Amino acid sequence: GGGGVQSRELASLLHAWAAMEVTHGDVEGARKLLSRAVEADASQAWLWRAFGSLEASHGDEWLARHYFARAVNADPKEGDTWVEWSRLEEAMGNYERARFYAKRGMELNAMTTMSRHRLDPKRPLSRRWFRD
């Protein structure tokens, strides 16, 4: 699977359904739905992150680590994935790795925020005098 609009929409629908299943206590059903979602579109980091989060809180920490790695491979500049992965590493007692991942995630999130607001990271207080 990979990348078309219909694939993304299907993956998003399956993700929402999986989240509902988790709230109703059907973790196994959620796993199956997330598997189908990543089959539909494996390019979406947020899907892999959701799978990692599910395993981190309801299952296998080592599998969660694998899914977070897949999320990072799908989008290495997605800061939220790094931050969430850092929480898993901290819970597993890997404090140095957790600090590294948290720092990386916060840096990426700050860069994303700056670019979203069209700030120049070298001159964050400068103003743009024209509009696009």
Side-chain angles (χ1 to χ4, degrees):
V5 172
Q6 287 182 331
S7 296
R8 257 181 259 131
E9 288 174 351
L10 176 60
S12 183
L13 176 66
L14 291 166
H15 170 264
W17 186 1
M20 185 200 67
E21 294 297 341
V22 169
T23 62
H24 292 335
D26 185 4
V27 174
E28 193 53 41
R31 282 187 182 107
K32 289 175 184 171
L33 290 164
L34 285 174
S35 290
R36 288 177 54 199
V38 296
E39 284 175 23
D41 192 354
S43 69
Q44 301 298 311
W46 62 271
L47 284 173
W48 291 111
R49 185 174 69 237
F51 222 153
S53 297
L54 177 72
E55 292 302 336
S57 57
H58 292 98
D60 184 343
E61 292 171 329
W62 293 97
L63 189 55
R65 187 184 263 170
H66 167 76
Y67 290 140
F68 285 129
R70 294 287 305 257
V72 166
N73 286 334
D75 186 357
K77 294 183 179 181
E78 170 56 56
D80 291 342
T81 300
W82 289 99
V83 170
E84 204 158 331
W85 193 357
S86 76
R87 291 185 192 124
L88 172 67
E89 294 297 337
E90 184 177 26
M92 293 175 74
N94 301 317
Y95 302 112
E96 194 165 327
R97 184 179 289 176
R99 272 191 298 277
F100 175 80
Y101 290 171
K103 182 177 184 236
R104 178 81 178 130
M106 288 184 283
E107 288 170 351
L108 288 167
N109 283 338
M111 287 171 39
T112 301
T113 299
M114 282 193 254
S115 67
R116 194 176 301 133
H117 296 294
R118 298 179 186 258
L119 295 177
D120 180 349
K122 294 179 182 162
R123 301 176 336 146
L125 298 178
S126 68
R127 291 186 180 205
R128 293 180 56 122
W129 294 103
F130 56 91
R131 294 195 184 268
D132 294 340

